[in-house]
């Protein structure tokens, strides 16, 4: 068999813009967004603010930049963010809030691989004492490695944070996967948070872009910060048009990714592939019996995440039923 990639499970960031999305980008009405004159960017921002029930939104080049501007909008130098130890904002964003904002990041354990419990928050908040950093923000994430968190559980965390005077930020890179899996109104899921960062370039399938959503004052601060971070873009409507297309066409279909992930997880369990954990569009495989599995799969045109002791398989819009069947056939031969 050739080395052509039939099926790339490494990430939902690998999704490519479809013909419809490319046409929307080509047709986008544009202006200079640094002047606030790009109608397509303004439309994308308005649409997301409305869907999430917030005042305002701001388009960013990446989720890292959107989270960073959000965290810098909430916190000043000498202040502290309580963040889940495995979260992207702590592990994978080069400590930008500390480097560029003088903000301390305080990593805390998460329960059940996902949320920060009220007890953990109570123990993490520092007393108002001149020895300590000033606790300012709870940074949450949803989904966490594909896992969803019930709204009630989220509320318990954010209510506890607020009772201690903290603001709440959500890294909602895969917010709409959670919305679809929980079958909930996006505004209800966003309501516990002051700011929410959403990636358009993961399962929603755009080439570029994230949006920070929140109240007017915080988004105004984030706007200045975006400029400072070098994130002002000019005729960005070409990119925002992809986001508008994604909101119209690619949210409902996330349920297909979740169903295929479930199907793949059942298949791997039935073939004794190791310990399989799946939620929304992600499948994790722990202790797969064969170190050569990645190489064998690659020879069949199948890329899987890793190499780690935990392998990750992510379903997305560029893996359809026939690609999934081909992958299952290859797994069956090699497991
Ligand atoms: C992808 C991702 C981000 C943002 O990543 P960028 O590559 O900067 O767009 C943030 N948080 C989580 C959980 C992510 O998966």
């Amino acid at each position: 068999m050739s080395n052509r990639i039939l099926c790339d499970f490494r990430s939902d960031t690998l999704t490519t813009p479809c013909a419809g999305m490319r046409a929307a980008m080509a047709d986008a009405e544009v202006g200079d967004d640094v002047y606030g004159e790009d109608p397509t960017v303004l439309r994308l921002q308005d649409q997301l603010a409305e869907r999430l029930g917030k005042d305002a939104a701001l388009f960013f080049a990446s989720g890292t930049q959107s989270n960073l501007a959000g965290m810098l909008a909430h916190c000043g130098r000498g202040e502290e963010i309580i963040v889940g130890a495995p979260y992207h904002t702590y592990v994978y964003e080069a400590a930008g809030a500390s480097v560029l904002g003088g903000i301390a990041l305080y990593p805390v354990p998460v329960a059940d691989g996902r949320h920060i419990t009220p007890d953990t928050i109570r123990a993490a908040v520092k007393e108002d004492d001149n020895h300590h950093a000033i606790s300012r923000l709870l940074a949450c994430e949803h989904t966490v490695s594909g896992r969803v968190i019930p709204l009630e559980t989220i509320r318990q965390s954010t209510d506890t944070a607020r009772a201690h005077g903290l603001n709440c930020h959500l890294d909602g890179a895969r917010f709409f996967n959670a919305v679809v899996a929980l079958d909930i109104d996006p505004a209800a899921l966003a309501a516990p948070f002051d700011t929410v960062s959403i990636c358009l370039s993961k399962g929603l399938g755009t080439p570029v872009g994230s949006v920070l959503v929140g109240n007017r004052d915080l988004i105004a601060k984030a706007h200045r910060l975006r400029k400072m971070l070098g994130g002002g873009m000019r005729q960005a409507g070409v990119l925002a048009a992809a986001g508008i297309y994604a909101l119209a066409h690619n949210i409902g279909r996330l349920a297909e990714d979740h169903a295929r992930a479930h199907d793949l997880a059942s298949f791997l369990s039935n073939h004794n592939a190791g310990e399989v954990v799946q939620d929304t569009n992600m499948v994790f495989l722990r202790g797969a019996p064969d170190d050569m599995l990645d190489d064998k799969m690659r020879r069949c045109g199948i890329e899987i995440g890793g190499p780690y002791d935990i392998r990750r398989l992510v379903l997305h819009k560029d893996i359809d039923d026939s690609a999934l069947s081909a992958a299952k056939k290859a797994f069956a031969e090699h497991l």
Side-chain angles (χ1 to χ4, degrees):
M1 196 178 268
S2 76
N3 286 329
R4 192 167 65 94
I5 296 178
L6 298 172
C7 212
D8 200 333
F9 287 108
R10 288 173 300 162
S11 179
D12 47 9
T13 57
L14 298 161
T15 44
T16 53
C18 65
M21 183 177 282
R22 286 168 190 259
M25 295 171 76
D27 291 344
E29 196 189 338
V30 296
D32 189 329
D33 185 53
V34 175
Y35 288 9
E37 292 176 4
D38 188 302
T40 309
V41 171
L42 297 176
R43 195 144 48 92
L44 171 66
Q45 293 174 168
D46 286 349
Q47 285 185 8
L48 267 170
E50 191 187 331
R51 283 194 193 217
L52 268 67
K54 306 283 190 211
D55 299 338
L58 195 64
F59 187 49
F60 284 87
S62 71
T64 299
Q65 196 180 53
S66 169
N67 278 325
L68 176 57
M71 292 188 285
L72 294 174
H74 284 288
C75 304
R77 301 181 69 80
E79 297 185 335
E80 185 166 78
I81 300 174
I82 296 169
V83 57
Y87 290 175
H88 202 276
T89 43
Y90 181 61
V91 183
Y92 297 114
E93 299 184 7
S98 302
V99 177
L100 301 172
I103 301 164
L105 290 169
Y106 185 34
V108 296
V110 296
D112 207 13
R114 56 196 99 177
H115 63 281
I116 305 174
T117 66
D119 281 347
T120 299
I121 294 164
R122 279 189 283 268
V125 173
K126 292 183 167 59
E127 269 179 65
D128 182 5
D129 174 315
N130 64 26
H131 293 77
H132 300 321
I134 300 163
S135 302
R136 182 65 72 206
L137 180 70
L138 178 71
C140 298
E141 185 173 302
H142 200 198
T143 59
V144 184
S145 294
R147 295 188 182 100
V148 291
I149 309 169
L151 180 58
E152 186 49 36
T153 304
I154 294 169
R155 279 234 170 260
Q156 287 167 1
S157 304
T158 55
D159 286 352
T160 304
R162 287 190 196 287
H164 289 85
L166 306 187
N167 281 356
C168 301
H169 171 74
L170 178 66
D171 175 2
R174 297 184 178 83
F175 180 80
F176 282 106
N177 291 87
V179 165
V180 167
L182 292 168
D183 191 19
I184 194 174
D185 173 10
L189 200 57
F193 299 98
D194 301 289
T195 44
V196 180
S197 170
I198 292 178
C199 285
L200 301 168
S201 61
K202 305 247 161 115
L204 296 182
T206 76
V208 177
S210 284
V211 178
L212 184 71
V213 190
N215 74 33
R216 205 164 299 288
D217 290 350
L218 284 163
I219 296 300
K221 275 189 175 178
H223 201 156
R224 181 184 296 271
L225 289 159
R226 186 183 70 175
K227 186 69 199 166
M228 195 185 294
L229 295 169
M233 296 186 284
R234 301 295 178 178
Q235 286 72 32
V238 172
L239 302 173
I244 291 171
Y245 182 93
L247 297 183
H249 297 95
N250 290 351
I251 293 178
R253 65 151 311 286
L254 293 171
E256 291 176 32
D257 300 339
H258 301 175
R260 290 193 186 103
H262 184 74
D263 179 70
L264 179 61
S266 308
F267 175 87
L268 292 170
S269 295
N270 292 338
H271 283 76
N272 301 317
E275 185 193 331
V276 180
V277 175
Q278 176 263 328
D279 201 358
T280 65
N281 65 327
M282 293 193 188
V283 182
F284 289 88
L285 190 56
R286 189 197 299 270
D290 180 356
D291 289 343
M292 297 304 291
L293 184 65
D294 295 322
D295 286 342
K296 289 177 182 169
M297 295 302 284
R298 189 167 295 128
R299 268 183 260 125
C300 298
I302 298 178
E303 291 282 347
I304 59 183
Y308 311 109
D309 60 333
I310 301 178
R311 293 198 175 87
R312 188 177 85 157
L313 297 106
V314 185
L315 277 291
H316 53 74
K317 74 170 186 61
D318 294 352
I319 300 180
D320 62 10
D321 284 333
S322 68
L324 182 59
S325 297
K328 282 158 68 176
K329 189 159 162 280
F331 275 116
E333 280 167 23
H334 293 305
L335 286 169

